[in-house]
Amino acid sequence: WRPAKLFWAVASVLLAVALVEFAVLKMTVPAWLAQGAHHRVESLLDGLAWVGRDSAMARAQLGYVLAEADRLEDAARAFARSGALTPDADTFGELAKLEFQLGFVDSAEATIHRAVELAPRRSDVLSLAGEIALQLGHIESARSYFERALELNPNWAAAKTGLSEVERRSARPAPL
């Protein structure tokens, strides 16, 4: 009887953890994010991480809410954790934008490269990579990203605008 009791005890604990995880991720996290209780959500997700049940999706949701609340460093941390849990081009794109805004240009460049590696055939990701490269002054790299985006989607407005800016900057005479 002992093995059977042990089996059911373990199964009960696992079921309880799964039910708590479901309630937290589907009900509590969205409600607290809507209320602006960012610290409570972070603590809750850290608790789930402690039992091995962290959620990339919930971390990304937290990142979007924190960015909207102008808490850029906290948002970047949430997106970085989300990307570490489940690498995703959208997550890395958001993280790269935040890192660039915060002045971490080398990190932003590395992060956008990861996004492009994950989604090399997405015009939006390529355009974002082009925008970051352009802002860093890497004109030829930006041109390449924008051209690749336009090959995939000839009507992608952001890539057209970016390529026009590349052409405008390329036409400038070099400073003496």
Side-chain angles (χ1 to χ4, degrees), residues 1 3 5 11 18 20 27 42 54 56 60 63 65 70 76 87 89 100-101 105 108 127 130 138 141 172:
W1 291 102
K5 285 183 181 181
V20 167
M27 292 180 261
E42 284 180 279
D54 205 349
V65 170
D70 206 31
F100 193 84
Q101 286 178 308
V105 292
S127 289
H138 304 160
S141 180
R172 283 189 202 158

Side-chain angles (χ1 to χ4, degrees), residues 108-173:
E109 192 172 25
T111 301
I112 197 61
H113 286 306
R114 288 187 72 192
V116 170
E117 287 173 7
L118 290 169
R121 301 194 48 78
R122 280 189 41 194
S123 296
D124 59 333
V125 173
L126 291 168
S127 289
L128 178 58
E131 290 171 24
I132 289 174
L134 188 60
Q135 291 178 23
L136 292 173
H138 304 160
I139 303 298
E140 291 309 311
S141 180
R143 179 191 315 273
S144 173
Y145 283 127
F146 290 132
E147 287 175 348
R148 285 172 51 196
L150 288 171
E151 284 175 16
L152 295 169
N153 184 350
N155 297 320
W156 194 256
K160 286 180 179 181
T161 302
L163 193 54
S164 295
E165 180 62 19
V166 165
E167 297 303 329
R168 188 184 68 73
R169 289 189 189 187
S170 297
R172 283 189 202 158

Side-chain angles (χ1 to χ4, degrees), residues 89-106:
D90 292 327
T91 300
F92 287 136
E94 292 298 324
L95 178 57
K97 285 190 262 186
L98 289 168
E99 289 171 335
F100 193 84
Q101 286 178 308
L102 292 166
F104 306 126
V105 292
D106 292 336

Side-chain angles (χ1 to χ4, degrees), residues 1-11:
W1 291 102
R2 286 186 188 175
K5 285 183 181 181
L6 180 63
F7 170 80
W8 288 112
V10 170

